[in-house]
Amino acid sequence: MTLDSKIPDAPLQDMWRDHKFNMKLVNPNNKRKFEIIIVGTGLAGASAAATLGELGYRVKVFTFHDSPRRAHSIAAQGGINAAKDYHGEGDSVWRLFYDTVKGGDYRSREANVYRLAEVSNNIIDQCVAQGVPFAREYGGFLDNRSFGGAQVRRTFYARGQTGQQLLLGAYQALARQVAAGTVELITQSEMLELVVVDGKASGIVVRDLVTGEITSHSAHAVVLGTGGYANAFYLSTNAMASNVTAAWRAHRKGAYFANPCFTQIHPTAIPSSDEFQSKLTLMSESLRNDGRIWVPNDPDETRAAADIPEADRDYFLERKYPAFGNLVPRDVASRNAKEVVDAGKGVGPLKNGVYLDFADAISRVGKQAVDDKYDNLFEMYERITGEDPFTSPMRIYPAPHYTMGGLWVDYHLQTTIPGLFAIGEANFSDHGANRLGASALMQGLADGYFVLPYTIGDYLAPMLGQSKVDTSASEFAMAEQAVREQTDKFLKTNGTRSVDWYHRELGKIMWDHCGMARNRAGLEKALSEIPALREEFHTNVRVPGSGSSLNSSLEKAGRVADFFELSELMCRDALMREESCGGHFREESQTEEGEALRDDDNFAFVGAWQWQGLGTDPALHKEQLTFDNVALSQRSYK
Amino acid sequence: MNLTLRVWRQAGPDAPGRFETYQATDVSEDASFLEMLDHVNESLIESGEEPIEFAHDCREGICGTCGLMINGQAHGPERATATCQLHMRKFADGDEIVIEPWRAAGFPIIKDLVVDRSAFDRIVEAGGYISVDTGSAPDGNLIPVPKEVADTSMDAAACIACGACVAACPNGAAQLFTSAKMQHLSVLPQGQPERYERAVAMVDTMEEFFGSCTNMGECEAACPKGISIDFIAMMNKDYRKGLMKTRRSA
């Protein structure tokens, strides 16, 4: 099957507007004749469900959380980009588009990124109207700050809780539709199978996490807004339950998985303190506006940070990248932190971090102003580490945070399975090989509010008059059976080790060999270790309890099983891509100065993998990327 | 450090519950409270027992999923801190810790330490939103919001819907949650058109599930986000006004 990205044939600036006109419409009275299933209630899922409900479609939305508002979008701290240019700095849709393509190291699709930049302004307007309490200046107008990879202030924010406030906006819009009866909300239910009938996505099978009941649901189309897969690394900034299961099970049913090795290791998380740590906590990138990153010159430095004189400090980002300084993109900041820590200059008891120092900002604008600007972040740092960041610098280190890869989608956000759409972090389309700060929230809401609601109509319109597939179809019974069998098998294995133990071991392999720096030998090693560990997991895991009540071990077992299969694909993809780009750094491909070196002649493509069965190598399909509007060049932030 | 835990175990919504005693050994001071429970659960699984079910997710104090009564206090001894952000350095070696689920009629127990908080969603569905369809919004800067007003709104909007306010309240009342959700919108210019209908609808729905407020103030003390009971006063004013304004002639 050749990949058809369905990019309209039109100049970039007119493309989306023209395409909206060219797409088929479903008239308002006919919308109620279509049913749509949405899985996930983060920014993408909740905004899509609310908007489709407003339009009049009948929507069923599923979440494994106890409330839509728990989705992990809620934890995004820093902000959301838009090309408003409220400060007269020369920002524009074109500049946001340009920065995002460049920031993604030329591995994203120009058409999708341009559309993202174009609708960014609508998102801000929509969120303001919903009552999102964005930060304001004293005149009452919207405030902005700057973020990595940009030289303009275009990031809108709500203290250090922007994701929370945007998600609450979408959640409230969703709640309004639930009350109106257009959306049926089903909580604490996890999608465990996609059902494909006659080649089209026709429904899903879910397990009720409280009662264990397994049920089928059918619809005219299925939308996955199920987030990213950074928890493949076990330790990440993702929430404990964030997982790849819905996307992976769709992959196993025929949806191609694109660029799985494009993972983002965020530069500013709190370093881990011991072996039993369950997750890493992010400190917003916005802190790099005022914080200066440094390490001592001497690896054997023993003095407290404040006692180390300027001459004995290395502000390595400011030194190497004078133009962007501490605001270089995330991949660059992370790799440089790894470099100094690997050189033995790390700080903290385990020497596993670098300093993020606010002393200059505090002496410039005062402690109160800094505290106001970052609100809960300083307090959160102190609570976790027991150290006061106003008197000694924060210690930070990179951590897996976001995954640019995901289900392959075309310009309509449709996967390779007709009728199956993927939105938000679950798809791959907009961030290339590296995501810029404050653009994940932008993309999630762009997909959910302003893209999918149009493109899904083009799929549905020709189906007018057709009823959805009935759940009595044999495909549903088979999918339910597969879910039951997997559940029973986990409960019966009765091995010796917990699910978490296997997840931790998998995470170590992934971090060591498929983390911030990758090489052939390491990836090949991982590719031999992962299947062996996976085998052991399936024969020696212990899942206590029953399948007919709340059982978190059982839930985790299914998710970790999928992480095993995905991790193998991540390594395979990283091995295939013999170039460095964005967050994917192959040690074999670097400049003399140690920067990522792309190979545009051979790797300017999207790598989309097709599942061929467990134990059989997946097939690689390439979507060639063309850059007609942004000239391919080596990124420079110096 | 080593600790003795007395933990509420309950197999299901209708099953009888009881306290069980567990030893938590070799716990790091830097571990979070939930990591300490993870540690206990790993050893329970090793010995073939069912682990203790507790709700949790982000472990950054923002998703609002976690929440335990720790020694009788919602979210434990540290002020303005969710359970997941409570660290073991706040306890001493040898301590006995009593761990219970949220105790409130409005939050029925699902299993062990996990409760059903879906009533909160019902309150929001009753009117905790601004009715604006996607695509119909004017430019963001056409609605100036004074900084103090935006700050007050944000103070209320910081609510994470964990339910500690209800659990801490002797009456099992949900006024702090409801007022935070309401005043977040009702102090903003965008929230004015529906302000009074919203107040009446949300309060009336709240009353279907939860107890009544008698101004004890326990909720504010337990709130991990430090949300002020001033919002309750503001809600009560809006509600009274709303009852008059929304009165339709028969």
Side-chain angles (χ1 to χ4, degrees), chain A residues 307-607:
Chain A
D307 300 334
I308 302 174
E310 286 290 317
D312 294 342
R313 300 176 177 196
D314 179 11
Y315 294 90
F316 54 94
L317 291 178
E318 297 173 23
R319 172 171 58 78
K320 288 175 73 176
Y321 309 96
F324 281 71
N326 293 297
L327 286 173
V328 291
R330 291 175 174 178
D331 54 337
V332 179
S334 291
R335 262 197 305 282
N336 279 280
K338 178 182 181 341
E339 209 169 88
V340 295
V341 168
D342 287 352
K345 294 181 181 176
V347 300
L350 303 176
K351 289 179 79 68
N352 61 348
V354 299
Y355 286 130
L356 178 63
D357 198 337
F358 295 89
D360 281 2
I362 292 167
S363 65
R364 193 174 65 242
V365 298
K367 183 182 162 179
Q368 193 55 51
V370 172
D371 196 23
D372 284 351
K373 191 161 172 187
Y374 299 108
D375 181 52
N376 55 336
L377 298 175
F378 278 64
E379 188 185 305
M380 183 173 181
Y381 182 87
E382 183 172 7
R383 208 173 282 136
I384 292 168
T385 61
E387 296 167 5
D388 176 7
F390 284 110
T391 54
S392 60
M394 289 184 182
R395 287 176 294 112
I396 54 162
Y397 196 63
H401 173 59
Y402 184 89
T403 49
M404 285 76 70
L407 293 177
W408 185 89
V409 290
D410 61 19
Y411 191 68
H412 286 194
L413 306 180
Q414 185 164 228
T415 69
T416 51
I417 301 176
L420 178 69
F421 295 77
I423 55 177
E425 193 178 352
N427 74 27
F428 88 103
S429 68
D430 294 0
H431 306 299
N434 173 59
R435 181 175 65 72
L436 289 180
S439 58
L441 302 183
M442 176 172 66
Q443 186 224 338
L445 291 181
D447 287 0
Y449 284 136
F450 294 110
V451 180
L452 179 89
Y454 296 99
T455 61
I456 204 168
D458 190 67
Y459 173 76
L460 295 171
M463 296 167 79
L464 187 64
Q466 292 174 24
S467 49
K468 60 176 187 167
V469 175
D470 196 86
T471 52
S472 62
S474 63
E475 286 87 347
F476 281 95
M478 279 157 61
E480 283 190 23
Q481 186 58 23
V483 170
R484 255 181 223 105
E485 277 170 14
Q486 191 192 39
T487 303
D488 291 347
K489 190 168 162 295
F490 283 134
L491 291 166
K492 279 181 192 148
T493 304
N494 200 24
T496 61
R497 286 189 158 131
S498 69
V499 177
D500 285 344
W501 188 89
Y502 284 102
H503 194 180
R504 263 199 303 275
E505 293 301 306
L506 173 66
K508 283 181 202 159
I509 297 174
M510 291 302 287
W511 182 240
D512 287 346
H513 303 303
C514 200
M516 264 189 287
R518 298 144 178 196
N519 61 52
R520 171 169 291 279
L523 290 165
E524 284 174 346
K525 186 160 184 266
L527 280 169
S528 74
E529 289 178 357
I530 294 168
L533 189 64
R534 185 187 69 223
E535 282 297 305
E536 193 197 313
F537 165 77
H538 281 289
T539 51
N540 193 40
V541 71
R542 177 179 286 175
V543 180
S546 84
S548 57
S549 74
L550 188 68
N551 186 338
S552 52
S553 299
L554 181 61
E555 294 165 25
K556 282 191 275 190
R559 295 168 194 165
V560 171
D562 294 331
F563 277 132
F564 267 108
E565 295 177 13
L566 166 77
S567 295
E568 215 180 314
L569 190 67
M570 289 166 72
C571 293
R572 200 177 286 279
D573 189 48
L575 188 62
M576 175 277 291
R577 193 169 281 279
E578 293 172 330
E579 64 158 353
S580 296
C581 54
H584 169 63
F585 190 72
R586 278 289 296 266
E587 289 171 353
E588 298 93 329
S589 182
Q590 49 182 303
T591 65
E592 279 175 15
E593 293 157 312
E595 304 293 339
L597 182 65
R598 289 199 322 271
D599 176 358
D600 294 327
D601 291 340
N602 295 302
F603 290 97
F605 64 78
V606 176

Side-chain angles (χ1 to χ4, degrees), chain A residues 84-102:
Chain A
K84 286 285 196 184
D85 194 31
Y86 280 154
H87 305 280
E89 296 174 319
D91 199 8
S92 60
V93 167
W94 190 267
R95 187 179 294 280
L96 175 55
F97 155 69
Y98 177 89
D99 286 350
T100 307
V101 170
K102 177 186 170 194

Side-chain angles (χ1 to χ4, degrees), chain A residues 142-155:
Chain A
L142 290 155
D143 193 16
N144 290 111
R145 57 188 171 200
S146 43
F147 249 60
Q151 288 178 312
V152 291
R153 284 172 292 165
R154 63 160 75 105
T155 304

